[in-house]
Amino acid sequence: NAGVTQTPKFRILKIGQSMTLQCTQDMNHNYMYWYRQDPGMGLKLIYYSVGAGITDKGEVPNGYNVSRSTTEDFPLRLELAAPSQTSVYFCASSYGGVQYFGPGTRLTVT
Amino acid sequence: AQKITQTQPGMFVQEKEAVTLDCTYDTSDPSYGLFWYKQPSSGEMIFLIYQGSYDQQNATEGRYSLNFQKARKSANLVISASQLGDSAMYFCAMRGLFNAGGTSYGKLTFGQGTILTVHP
């Protein structure tokens, strides 16, 4: 089991560019989540999904979009990147309440 | 609304000693879960321990135990026999409920974290 995998590990974007952060899990979990972690802070929920085809906004959804066409994949799309989106992004999946996290993607917008 | 508070930005402990990391929470949900995660300098989030709000006994996982005091709304993490590898950021989190399509699902709210440094 690879668990939760994320790509890329690091990325530098210019202001206004777009990109997709990939997240895949092989545990057949229905619930998946995207968080961002700003320096020295805890994680904040961006979007979540409770199954294929079902997504909803978390605390800080502005500037992001998601889709969930399969159980395994939950990509996060950044449109028109802004410096405020510089952060570490974590994807997680859960079963039985415990969330298992991917290794994170460190994104810098300059 | 749910809130998690970790009042210790940093803690220091000697190797082999025990240390307690504080966490208080606030929620109006009758059912909730409390979690502790470890984030080493490499950045990954590692699940350590879980306590359900209706669990009668405090959770334990190896050297980790959760001191759950429901009336005080606290869920402190106790690490016994600290090791150098325990040096990391520790996050307390609470699973509340959010509604989607009429069904409730778990959502984690995180505290700001405590940096633990273990000295040899």
Side-chain angles (χ1 to χ4, degrees):
Chain A
N1 263 358
V4 181
T5 57
Q6 292 182 238
T7 56
K9 284 186 167 44
F10 304 94
R11 184 71 186 268
I12 299 174
L13 279 183
K14 292 190 188 309
I15 294 171
Q17 287 185 320
S18 301
M19 76 164 293
T20 299
L21 281 66
Q22 301 292 344
C23 175
T24 300
Q25 53 96 4
D26 62 359
M27 297 175 282
N28 204 32
H29 290 168
N30 281 331
Y31 308 154
M32 295 188 74
Y33 309 81
W34 273 105
Y35 293 89
R36 60 176 287 172
Q37 183 182 24
D38 296 329
M41 305 291 285
L43 279 67
K44 292 187 177 178
L45 183 65
I46 305 172
Y47 269 94
Y48 64 92
S49 170
V50 301
I54 308 171
T55 63
D56 207 346
K57 297 176 181 178
E59 299 173 74
V60 289
N62 291 345
Y64 308 95
N65 275 302
V66 293
S67 60
R68 183 101 180 266
S69 56
T70 66
T71 299
E72 295 79 18
D73 299 310
F74 189 40
L76 177 72
R77 178 83 179 159
L78 277 73
E79 306 282 0
L80 298 175
S84 61
Q85 293 178 304
T86 293
S87 190
V88 179
Y89 291 84
F90 288 97
C91 179
S93 70
S94 72
Y95 175 79
V98 178
Q99 293 189 16
Y100 298 94
F101 287 81
T105 294
R106 186 175 296 274
L107 175 68
T108 303
V109 182
T110 62
Chain B
Q2 299 173 338
K3 188 175 179 182
I4 291 278
T5 303
Q6 293 180 253
T7 57
Q8 306 156 315
M11 288 286 285
F12 295 89
V13 66
Q14 263 330 99
E15 196 178 7
K16 299 180 186 176
E17 291 186 349
V19 63
T20 298
L21 306 183
D22 293 342
C23 173
T24 57
Y25 62 91
D26 192 20
T27 182
S28 55
D29 290 337
S31 174
Y32 51 90
L34 295 153
F35 301 78
W36 279 91
Y37 284 85
K38 173 184 178 182
Q39 187 177 43
S41 58
S42 51
E44 70 267 34
M45 295 286 287
I46 302 168
F47 165 71
L48 295 179
I49 196 166
Y50 165 77
Q51 178 87 41
S53 58
Y54 291 119
D55 293 343
Q56 295 296 316
Q57 292 189 321
N58 287 343
T60 59
E61 288 286 348
R63 294 186 299 110
Y64 304 109
S65 60
L66 201 153
N67 184 1
F68 181 48
Q69 298 190 42
K70 197 170 182 177
R72 293 186 177 184
K73 294 189 175 180
S74 73
N76 299 339
L77 177 70
V78 180
I79 305 175
S80 63
S82 297
Q83 301 172 356
L84 296 178
D86 293 335
S87 293
M89 176 79 94
Y90 289 80
F91 289 101
C92 180
M94 178 167 56
R95 183 190 67 205
L97 300 174
F98 51 73
N99 292 316
T103 308
S104 297
Y105 302 96
K107 181 190 98 163
L108 286 183
T109 299
F110 284 83
Q112 292 199 324
T114 297
I115 299 175
L116 175 67
T117 303
V118 180
H119 289 303

